[in-house]
Amino acid sequence: MGPDGRDISNGLDRLVAGTTGLRHDGRFHEPNLDGTAGDYISFDSWEWPQGVGLYGLIKLWLFTGRDDLRQLVEDWYQQRIDAGLPQLNVNTTAPMLGLSVLWAKTRDPRWQPVLDEWANRVMAELGRTPEGGFEHHVSDKVNHDELWDDTLYMVALFLASYGQASGRRELIDEASRQFLVHTRYLADTHTGLWFHGWTFDGRHNFARARWARGNAWITAGLLDLFDLADLAKPVKDFLQGVLVAQVDALLSLQAPSGAWRTLLDDATSYEEISATAGIGYGLLKGYRLGLGTPVWREAGLKALQVVMDNIDETGTVGNVSYGTRMGHDLQFYKDIPIQPTGYGQALAILCLSEGLQHVGQEGQAA
């Protein structure tokens, strides 16, 4: 017997509290290139983990209609904007996705000038690789001539969302281009899984790591891309094929617990819950949208259960790997420490929210 709707709803309530309660305890010291202190944990910092966290909260607001969630995220954005936004890069773009989804629903005039300016700067200023991919520039490092799978979730989804909401077709087209270029260099033709990164300097995939959370960004990101924007039919058809190939590979690698390991195809690497939540979300959503078979739903419900089993009484998601740089050997990924993060919270929120729709439709999940 799987989780019921009451269990899932209670889990979502705890996740919100756990997300807003995240604070940096000094364990990680990662100064930014401009000399400011990097904070990838505290809820009140404008960075990519918090950006993903806000997206999860906003998606939960859209699903539940809870006014307290809308107020929470609107206050967060207003305070951060009033304080001054950080320098533009791939990861500082991540919070713009949630803001775009919020604006698309509310049309609050506070947000459009901020979104417009940031979108214009992404198009004009973000570093590019050969073939026009976005270089993975982040707050503490310029990764020159490198493509990372994370970039699609942090930048391309924002362009797709805001392009659709604002009627700016060129932004949707750019998002489509980014997914196509990244697929060319990061999708592994042998397995259907995705590599973490690619460099044009030497033309290789670094450690050829089939890293779980990177794959989760793709599974969840592709399905959200289909929701966020109207893509050209050849692009959508192509990307749906990429998604199905990836999921087919993921299904055979799910551990007996329902989780996926941080290196998907390495049985000695640890089970990692943020990736499990993102993949589980994608499987359930893909099944609901008619892209997958009942096997997708079954695997997604197993993932949902193990995610719920890793939410503690404070609403904090455990067994989440910390932010992961590009590894030059596979051991690097196995050594990434465990740390509660905004993206771990958000991917769990997405997974539970999607799971609630399945339980709601068909009673208790068997």
Side-chain angles (χ1 to χ4, degrees):
M1 187 70 69
D4 64 23
R6 188 180 305 106
D7 291 338
I8 297 173
S9 295
N10 290 339
L12 285 164
D13 287 342
R14 294 204 314 277
L15 283 169
V16 173
T19 302
T20 58
L22 288 174
R23 295 292 180 271
H24 196 293
D25 63 4
R27 181 179 173 203
F28 300 99
H29 177 60
E30 297 179 287
N32 294 325
L33 290 173
D34 63 5
T36 57
D39 184 348
Y40 300 89
I41 299 172
S42 302
F43 181 64
D44 59 0
S45 175
W46 184 290
E47 257 296 346
W48 71 271
Q50 296 85 352
V52 180
L54 288 155
Y55 177 60
L57 293 174
I58 289 165
K59 293 277 282 187
L60 183 58
W61 164 63
L62 291 174
F63 182 64
T64 63
R66 284 174 49 182
D67 287 338
D68 62 316
L69 291 175
R70 173 177 173 173
Q71 193 66 52
L72 173 69
V73 296
E74 287 184 339
D75 289 349
W76 189 95
Y77 280 110
Q78 191 64 61
Q79 290 165 12
R80 302 286 83 71
I81 291 166
D82 288 347
L85 297 186
Q87 293 184 356
L88 170 78
N89 61 53
V90 165
N91 283 350
T92 57
T93 300
M96 289 294 173
L97 171 59
L99 189 61
S100 171
V101 173
L102 177 68
W103 177 77
K105 180 69 173 178
T106 67
R107 297 290 162 163
D108 188 321
R110 288 181 289 173
W111 311 131
Q112 189 169 19
V114 179
L115 291 162
D116 255 340
E117 181 183 5
W118 201 277
N120 293 341
R121 292 185 60 208
V122 166
M123 297 287 281
E125 299 174 24
L126 213 56
R128 302 267 185 163
T129 69
E131 301 181 37
F134 287 139
E135 288 182 327
H136 195 78
H137 293 188
V138 296
S139 299
D140 60 359
K141 192 174 183 197
V142 174
N143 297 297
H144 185 61
D145 268 352
E146 294 181 17
L147 299 173
W148 294 27
D149 48 16
D150 325 33
T151 303
L152 295 174
Y153 208 91
M154 307 310 157
V155 180
L157 289 186
F158 159 58
L159 293 179
S161 168
Y162 187 58
Q164 185 73 29
S166 65
R168 294 183 58 182
R169 185 74 215 180
E170 76 276 12
L171 301 182
I172 301 173
D173 290 344
E174 185 61 59
S176 299
R177 177 193 193 184
Q178 293 304 319
F179 269 90
L180 295 173
V181 172
H182 282 72
T183 299
R184 169 160 152 75
Y185 288 103
L186 298 180
D188 174 15
T189 55
H190 292 285
T191 64
L193 303 172
W194 281 53
F195 296 122
H196 187 185
W198 165 269
T199 178
F200 286 93
D201 181 9
R203 299 182 71 87
H204 58 76
N205 290 109
F206 297 96
R208 296 177 65 82
R210 299 175 186 93
W211 173 52
R213 190 165 58 245
N215 275 266
W217 294 134
I218 301 306
T219 316
L222 281 169
L223 282 155
D224 284 358
L225 177 69
F226 302 152
D227 265 357
L228 290 168
D230 296 325
L231 306 177
K233 187 176 187 302
V235 174
K236 186 172 185 180
D237 289 349
F238 171 79
L239 292 176
Q240 284 183 352
V242 169
L243 174 69
V244 171
Q246 186 210 28
V247 170
D248 283 347
L250 288 169
L251 288 171
S252 66
L253 296 170
Q254 189 175 23
S257 68
W260 279 269
R261 299 182 180 280
T262 198
L263 288 174
L264 291 164
D265 49 0
D266 183 343
T268 67
S269 67
Y270 59 79
E271 295 182 5
E272 203 278 322
I273 296 302
S274 72
T276 298
I279 294 167
Y281 165 71
L283 290 171
L284 291 172
K285 184 172 182 176
Y287 173 75
R288 178 170 57 82
L289 296 180
L291 298 176
T293 66
V295 176
W296 290 34
R297 180 177 184 270
E298 181 182 348
L301 289 171
K302 281 183 67 178
L304 169 64
Q305 183 63 63
V306 75
V307 170
M308 291 182 64
D309 290 344
N310 278 274
I311 303 169
D312 71 15
E313 61 278 359
T314 72
T316 304
V317 182
N319 291 307
V320 170
S321 65
Y322 189 59
T324 304
R325 299 177 188 277
M326 189 57 59
H328 292 262
D329 60 62
L330 296 177
Q331 187 64 38
F332 171 84
Y333 294 88
K334 295 159 77 168
D335 292 341
I336 295 294
I338 299 296
Q339 168 67 44
T341 66
Y343 55 82
Q345 301 293 124
L347 290 168
I349 287 172
L350 293 177
C351 187
L352 268 66
S353 297
E354 180 62 38
L356 203 55
Q357 300 188 62
H358 292 259
V359 173
Q361 288 169 3
E362 304 183 34
Q364 281 198 330

